[in-house]
Amino acid sequence: MLTFEQKQQIIESYSELERKDISLKRVNYHLPTSLYEKTLVVEKLHPNGNGYVFVGDLLAYESMADERHLVNIREFSEKQLRDILADVIAYLTEEDEPVLPLHETWSNREGDVLTVRFDGHDYGVYHGENVEEIFGKYETAKSYLLEEGFRLKTKHA
């Protein structure tokens, strides 16, 4: 397990993050360049080595995150800590994919029809008005449809 000081050194190697001391000798790190309201990346890093990283909707960390989308980094190695920080910084600072197309129709050989719609944050795959799947990236939704035997039929703006 990394010490508090080692974790601080790793976190502070990311120039995008700003340190803010809080109570009980704990430290928060914010990302002022976040494209979202959420700027707090590392929460309550404690001298005992405990702390949390906000991961939002990043699927890679879904099984590790609590209901507030935080991952406990107490037992993280240097590589794990660097990976999660890089992923979160990219997640919070990269522009969303192009909004268009907002709506696509896909069909398979059996005549089933699914639609893909972008809601401003996620790509939903729908069967009629029922949600089939939700994806964070268009490419993931597209891969899913192709694997299921669907092909793009029409694009709508």
Side-chain angles (χ1 to χ4, degrees):
M1 178 175 86
L2 298 170
T3 66
F4 174 69
E5 292 78 15
Q6 289 170 319
K7 286 178 183 166
Q8 278 185 302
Q9 186 176 24
I10 292 166
I11 295 165
E12 290 175 8
S13 72
Y14 292 86
S15 61
E16 305 97 317
L17 298 176
E18 287 184 2
R19 177 187 170 135
K20 299 207 182 204
D21 294 332
I22 58 173
S23 62
L24 305 173
K25 299 182 182 177
R26 296 175 300 172
V27 182
N28 285 345
Y29 289 89
H30 290 261
L31 181 65
T33 58
S34 174
L35 297 175
Y36 305 94
E37 263 185 59
K38 185 67 171 179
T39 64
L40 185 58
V41 172
V42 179
E43 185 174 322
K44 298 176 185 159
L45 183 63
H46 193 278
N48 70 8
N50 204 24
Y52 302 90
V53 171
F54 172 77
V55 294
D57 296 326
L58 287 171
L59 295 177
Y61 302 100
E62 186 177 45
S63 65
M64 300 167 65
D66 65 15
E67 65 281 349
R68 297 181 307 143
H69 304 282
L70 297 172
V71 171
N72 189 308
I73 58 168
R74 182 179 183 90
E75 301 294 328
F76 270 36
S77 68
E78 179 177 351
K79 181 181 180 343
Q80 289 172 308
L81 183 55
R82 287 190 184 282
D83 287 348
I84 197 170
L85 290 171
D87 290 345
V88 169
I89 290 169
Y91 171 73
L92 293 174
T93 59
E94 289 180 359
E95 294 287 339
D96 283 336
E97 297 175 53
V99 172
L100 296 175
L102 290 176
H103 184 266
E104 293 179 339
T105 304
W106 292 68
S107 61
N108 65 11
R109 289 184 178 156
E110 290 79 32
D112 298 317
V113 176
L114 296 177
T115 57
V116 176
R117 294 191 299 248
F118 182 67
D119 68 6
H121 186 266
D122 294 312
Y123 290 87
V125 176
Y126 296 86
H127 182 259
E129 291 302 313
N130 297 318
V131 176
E132 185 80 21
E133 293 285 339
I134 298 288
F135 299 95
K137 297 218 175 261
Y138 173 76
E139 287 303 318
T140 311
K142 181 180 172 183
S143 293
Y144 166 78
L145 288 163
L146 291 171
E147 287 173 15
E148 294 296 319
F150 285 82
R151 297 295 176 255
L152 181 61
K153 188 174 173 183
T154 58
K155 288 185 180 190
H156 311 277

